[in-house]
Amino acid sequence: VGPYILITPNETRRNQLQQIAKKELDDLERWKRNHSPGPIKLTPQRLGGKESEAQARQKQQMMLIQSKYQQKYKREEHIRTKKAAEEAEISRKKAIQREKAERLEAKKRQGEVQRREMYSEDQYYKTNELLNRLALGLPKSDSCHIANRGLEPAAWTGSHTYKQALREDENRRLKEMKQEQRRKAELLEIKQKQEEEVRTRAHQNEQRRVNNAFLDRLQNKTQASSIWQPEYPRSQDYYSN
């Protein structure tokens, strides 16, 4: 062991610290006595004692069953509200799609009317132009009359065939667009039906599980209450206490 230094305690400092600590403890005790709560004064009341233990247990069990049914009703009400909101959203989307299809159909009809008007106007001008050209260059011989009369139906037939082909192509494209819209609507309806079936099955399974669990708990409580029997009757003062 190496050398060490022994320091003697300072008795004066120790006494001062002890006096300070004692004073603080005395102040704490005095503060507790001054701030201690007073006596509690309550009006005497009659507590219980009017029902037997079996009646109280039965009443408690009925209250528990009622609370279970209330929770079940709240869950079902929430599911119904959610389902109604989903159906309203689906109806809104259907209405939007239907409105879009109607606007597209109206736009197509308007375009068809405009094309017909343009075709009629163009046909009128071309016919007048052809007649004027034939009238200006018409020779005096009868053979030229016959030849020119034969040229006019041929030109009109070609123009009519071309316009008819354009109209048929436009009708075909319009029909294809209608079929595409109808197919999309059918796919959307099938998807909504499948989602509705999935939600219905999930709701039925959840309801079946909750009912089975409730019946199991109720059966266990009934068996436990039938097994337990009190050994002697309790007095009314016992229940009051």
Side-chain angles (χ1 to χ4, degrees):
V1 179
Y4 62 91
I5 298 174
L6 181 63
I7 299 175
T8 58
N10 190 351
E11 296 293 335
T12 305
R13 180 63 177 170
R14 179 185 296 176
N15 293 333
Q16 290 178 355
L17 292 175
Q18 288 179 354
Q19 290 177 1
I20 292 172
K22 184 178 180 182
K23 183 176 181 302
E24 290 178 354
L25 291 174
D26 294 339
D27 294 339
L28 178 61
E29 292 295 332
R30 190 180 304 106
W31 184 87
K32 287 182 179 180
R33 287 194 301 271
N34 293 332
H35 293 81
S36 61
I40 298 175
K41 296 181 181 180
L42 296 175
T43 305
Q45 298 178 357
R46 184 179 182 85
L47 303 175
K50 294 182 180 180
E51 296 179 353
S52 62
E53 185 176 359
Q55 292 176 353
R57 288 183 179 274
Q58 186 178 4
K59 184 177 179 181
Q60 185 179 7
Q61 187 175 3
M62 291 299 296
M63 291 175 65
L64 179 63
I65 293 173
Q66 290 178 359
S67 65
K68 299 271 185 174
Y69 277 114
Q70 288 177 358
Q71 293 177 1
K72 181 181 177 182
Y73 175 75
K74 288 181 180 180
R75 285 195 298 270
E76 292 178 353
E77 186 67 21
H78 176 69
I79 292 171
R80 284 196 296 270
T81 305
K82 186 177 179 181
K83 184 178 178 181
E86 291 176 354
E87 290 179 353
E89 182 68 17
I90 291 171
S91 300
R92 187 181 66 83
K93 291 181 179 179
K94 284 184 178 179
I96 291 173
Q97 292 294 332
R98 192 180 301 109
E99 186 178 357
K100 288 182 179 179
E102 290 177 355
R103 285 202 301 265
L104 181 61
E105 186 71 19
K107 186 176 180 181
K108 290 177 181 178
R109 287 196 298 267
Q110 186 178 2
E112 184 67 20
V113 171
Q114 290 179 358
R115 282 191 296 273
R116 289 179 180 177
E117 291 178 355
M118 291 174 65
Y119 170 71
S120 300
E121 187 177 357
D122 183 67
Q123 185 179 7
Y124 174 74
Y125 284 127
K126 289 296 180 66
T127 303
N128 289 334
E129 184 180 358
L130 180 62
L131 292 174
N132 292 330
R133 189 168 63 250
L134 292 174
L136 291 175
L138 186 64
K140 297 181 179 179
S141 62
D142 294 338
S143 60
C144 293
H145 277 286
I146 296 171
N148 289 329
R149 285 178 191 151
L151 290 173
E152 182 179 358
W156 183 85
T157 303
S159 176
H160 179 71
T161 304
Y162 176 72
K163 297 296 184 179
Q164 187 176 2
L166 290 178
R167 186 163 54 253
E168 290 178 355
D169 185 57
E170 191 68 25
N171 292 332
R172 180 180 56 80
R173 284 186 293 175
L174 182 62
K175 186 177 180 180
E176 290 177 355
M177 293 180 69
K178 287 182 179 179
Q179 291 177 355
E180 183 68 18
Q181 291 292 334
R182 191 179 301 107
R183 187 177 63 84
K184 288 182 179 180
E186 291 176 355
L187 290 176
L188 180 61
E189 187 175 0
I190 291 171
K191 184 178 180 181
Q192 291 172 356
K193 287 182 180 179
Q194 291 177 353
E195 292 178 354
E196 182 65 23
E197 290 177 358
V198 171
R199 286 195 298 269
T200 303
R201 285 197 297 269
H203 176 61
Q204 290 177 355
N205 293 332
E206 180 66 17
Q207 189 174 9
R208 191 179 300 109
R209 185 185 65 79
V210 173
N211 292 336
N212 292 333
F214 172 71
L215 293 175
D216 292 338
R217 289 196 300 271
L218 185 60
Q219 184 177 3
N220 294 332
K221 289 181 180 181
T222 306
Q223 292 176 357
S225 61
S226 62
I227 293 172
W228 182 85
Q229 295 290 339
E231 297 179 356
Y232 54 89
R234 306 298 180 92
S235 63
Q236 185 175 1
D237 296 335
Y238 175 81
Y239 292 113
S240 301
N241 295 329

